[in-house]
Amino acid sequence: MIIKDASLETVCGITSKLPDNILPEVAFAGKSNVGKSSLINALMNRKSLARTSSQPGKTQTINFYNINNAIYFVDLPGYGYAKANEAVKAKWGKMVENYLHRSKQLKLVFLLIDIRHEPSGNDKIMYDWICSNGYQPVIIATKLDKIKRSQLQKQLKLIRTALGTDAESIVIPFSAETKQGREEIYELLDRFTEA
């Protein structure tokens, strides 16, 4: 996949109606501060189209990025942000649930997990929930540059075990710093958009 054109096209808040897109969509889910915006920017070859923030929990909308007029990257609100109050968390959950149920064009869901830590209870809930909606999430193990190479296999096994993934599940280690893992993600996107 060569990205020539990328633009933020639609922003959906809690009360917004989801757009009736005709292009395929791939969604990015993950807890706040897992590096979702950094991953999306790295894939789009843009510095800051997806807004990164030092304050986790900033993405409180569903953002649709039009890529090459061929596919949408859908940035879902980060979950598990401790400082958000329960009412706000419940609304984010509803938004994401609504999107997973209602999108007619959703082809693939990427679930981002911080490679340095065992997946949290919220990560496990999100993984099970994506599966129960009929999708086989692709796990992106972010922040790869923050661990030693010798720790890689151990951390990947920890993620697989904690989430309870099956043998066919795809787990891609990724670094926003070095862009390692980006080509594998592009190959997957090509496969899904061609299908």
Side-chain angles (χ1 to χ4, degrees):
M1 172 174 271
I2 296 163
I3 294 182
K4 298 190 175 98
D5 190 44
S7 61
L8 175 58
E9 189 172 286
T10 312
V11 176
C12 287
I14 286 155
T15 55
S16 313
K17 185 179 173 297
L18 290 168
D20 283 324
N21 290 328
I22 52 171
L23 299 174
E25 297 170 0
V26 294
F28 295 83
K31 69 177 175 213
S32 302
N33 222 7
V34 75
K36 211 153 36 70
S37 300
S38 299
L39 168 68
I40 293 170
N41 283 327
L43 291 175
M44 294 191 297
N45 284 320
R46 298 292 189 278
K47 272 273 188 286
S48 58
L49 188 54
R51 274 183 227 107
T52 57
S53 171
S54 55
Q55 251 183 311
K58 259 300 196 233
T59 308
Q60 297 179 19
T61 51
I62 299 178
N63 299 331
F64 291 80
Y65 296 92
N66 185 327
I67 309 298
N68 295 344
N69 281 318
I71 187 173
Y72 285 100
F73 286 178
V74 183
D75 185 8
L76 299 174
Y79 55 82
Y81 177 50
K83 289 203 175 96
N85 68 37
E86 290 308 314
V88 169
K89 283 185 198 168
K91 282 180 183 163
W92 291 354
K94 269 272 165 279
M95 262 165 70
V96 175
E97 186 175 13
N98 185 34
Y99 172 71
L100 288 177
H101 277 313
R102 297 245 169 104
S103 170
K104 296 181 180 74
Q105 298 301 332
L106 182 59
K107 305 295 180 212
L108 181 62
V109 181
F110 290 108
L111 177 60
L112 281 64
I113 304 286
D114 187 330
I115 199 165
R116 298 171 299 176
H117 310 295
E118 182 174 348
S120 66
N122 281 328
D123 290 328
K124 175 73 175 134
I125 289 166
M126 192 68 184
Y127 177 80
D128 291 343
W129 197 46
I130 294 166
C131 293
S132 71
N133 275 285
Y135 299 98
Q136 176 66 59
V138 172
I139 309 301
I140 307 285
T142 61
K143 309 194 187 232
L144 175 61
D145 48 281
K146 304 273 197 280
I147 62 165
K148 293 191 182 86
R149 192 171 287 175
S150 59
Q151 296 174 293
L152 176 63
Q153 292 311 319
K154 179 174 150 269
Q155 292 308 110
L156 292 178
K157 187 171 183 232
L158 182 71
I159 290 171
R160 283 186 176 279
T161 306
L163 294 177
T165 65
D166 56 30
E168 285 86 69
S169 292
I170 300 170
V171 181
I172 301 175
F174 175 79
S175 163
E177 291 293 312
T178 66
K179 311 294 184 276
Q180 189 178 332
R182 183 165 69 172
E183 290 308 316
E184 285 171 81
I185 298 169
Y186 282 156
E187 277 170 33
L188 264 185
L189 290 168
D190 283 336
R191 280 220 305 270
F192 273 87
T193 46
E194 282 156 17

